[in-house]
Amino acid sequence: MAVKIQTLSLTDRIGARTVAGLMALVIGSILVFGVGLANSQTLHDAAHDTRHSYGFPCH
Amino acid sequence: MIVRLLLAALAAGLIAGMAMTPAQYVKTIPLIMQAEAYEGGGHDHGAVESTSSSVDAGTGVAQGADARAAHDRGDDSMLGLGRLGDTVLANLVAGAGFALILAAVALIAGIEFPAGRDGLIRGLVLGAGAWFCVQLAPSFSLPPAVPGFPYADLGDRQGWWMITVGLSAIGLWLLALRPEWIARALGVALIVAPHIWGAPVPEDLSSEVPAYLASAYAAASLATTLFFWLLLGGLLGHFLSRVPEEQAA
């Protein structure tokens, strides 16, 4: 019984890590795209120095 | 647990992003401002942008004109925060975004962060790997450039940049974390491939920006981002090692 509980909690843990990883990937990609790559004049001008400093293609 | 993992990544990203602004004001932004004096033969930034955005659509012209008007007023800010405020905000968002992606890679690839010194060192190694993929590998063929440099088409360069970062990340993972020699060889091939294909390069390479500024800028950009990624990786390793394993979401 004890072994079974341990196995379940391990599976849950791996599942939670993967779910958290996928969520982080989606949110992080949106943020980085907005700061570094989005083709919006307002975003470009606000993030101009950051884009250049990180070596994002700019202008 | 999911929320705590995301919050750990977010905290690391916001701290590293906050630290990036002073680093940029010491190393890169003075060079950007010097280079802007040469940009387009002395035009301001908005004037250059308006010509490029007018190609896209009618709204592009209006936006470009707005940007030029903002420059005429001597107001560099689009969000009303001033140039420094905009950069602080952009660095915080970039820090949070990069931290979430880095955490995602660690979580999906199954990289564990043991408590204490080992977790910190793994985080630093992960940060160094990310610096290689996001900064160093693209800069082999598309070096960090100051304003006023000759540029190839923006969309082409952004596409090449995203593909290179992605291939370098997959390549580095194969090279570092897979035991099979064929996987490692494939990793090297993926890292090298975008450079053999070649980055978009402008036809006319002449520029009014002094060469000294350009070379100092490339070194400054790589140095400040190395600082950022090592700080981010170290913090991420430390924070993720402190997320309790048994806690439910």
Side-chain angles (χ1 to χ4, degrees):
Chain A
M1 187 65 193
V3 173
K4 192 180 177 189
I5 288 167
Q6 199 176 12
T7 313
L8 278 175
S9 75
L10 188 68
T11 320
D12 286 348
R13 190 169 75 78
I14 291 168
R17 287 174 68 92
T18 307
V19 171
L22 290 173
M23 285 170 71
L25 189 65
V26 171
I27 303 167
S29 300
I30 291 169
L31 293 180
V32 170
F33 184 83
V35 170
L37 300 163
N39 190 19
S40 141
Q41 188 68 41
T42 307
L43 283 178
H44 166 275
D45 288 358
H48 177 257
D49 292 349
T50 301
R51 286 189 179 191
H52 275 283
S53 293
Y54 276 95
F56 283 108
C58 200
H59 291 82
Chain B
M1 181 176 170
I2 291 173
V3 173
R4 292 195 62 151
L5 289 169
L6 294 178
L7 285 178
L10 214 50
L14 291 177
I15 295 171
M18 190 50 105
M20 192 57 170
T21 302
Q24 287 172 348
Y25 266 85
V26 171
K27 294 297 291 180
T28 56
I29 291 178
L31 296 170
I32 293 175
M33 288 176 169
Q34 274 181 277
E36 279 177 351
Y38 298 92
E39 187 174 23
H43 297 146
D44 63 35
H45 192 223
V48 174
E49 283 304 319
S50 67
T51 50
S52 62
S53 56
S54 64
V55 178
D56 303 337
T59 53
V61 181
Q63 286 172 345
D66 285 344
R68 190 167 52 220
H71 273 269
D72 290 344
R73 291 198 307 273
D75 176 14
D76 277 319
S77 174
M78 285 290 124
L79 303 175
L81 300 170
R83 186 165 188 167
L84 171 63
D86 282 357
T87 303
V88 168
L89 189 66
N91 278 332
L92 287 174
V93 178
F98 281 134
L100 287 167
I101 294 175
L102 193 60
V105 169
L107 290 168
I108 294 169
I111 300 170
E112 302 266 350
F113 295 96
R117 196 181 158 84
D118 287 349
L120 185 71
I121 290 171
R122 273 195 201 181
L124 288 172
V125 172
L126 189 68
W131 177 76
F132 173 83
C133 298
V134 181
Q135 318 292 161
L136 189 62
S139 77
F140 290 153
S141 295
L142 199 67
V146 283
F149 249 45
Y151 292 105
D153 179 68
L154 177 62
D156 290 351
R157 281 182 294 127
Q158 288 183 330
W160 186 89
W161 185 89
M162 285 188 274
I163 290 168
T164 304
V165 170
L167 288 182
S168 301
I170 297 168
L172 188 62
W173 176 71
L174 288 171
L175 189 60
L177 293 176
R178 300 299 300 182
E180 308 92 339
W181 69 266
I182 193 153
R184 295 184 171 187
L186 183 64
V188 174
L190 286 179
I191 291 170
V192 172
H195 305 286
I196 293 174
W197 174 266
V201 176
E203 288 177 13
D204 180 12
L205 285 172
S206 64
S207 166
E208 301 194 8
V209 180
Y212 174 81
L213 277 186
S215 59
Y217 184 77
S221 170
L222 290 175
T224 49
T225 50
L226 178 62
F227 162 74
F228 167 80
W229 282 109
L230 287 179
L231 181 62
L232 176 60
L235 288 168
L236 192 67
H238 180 63
F239 290 162
L240 285 182
S241 74
R242 293 169 69 92
V243 175
E245 293 185 357
E246 71 279 6
Q247 188 159 341

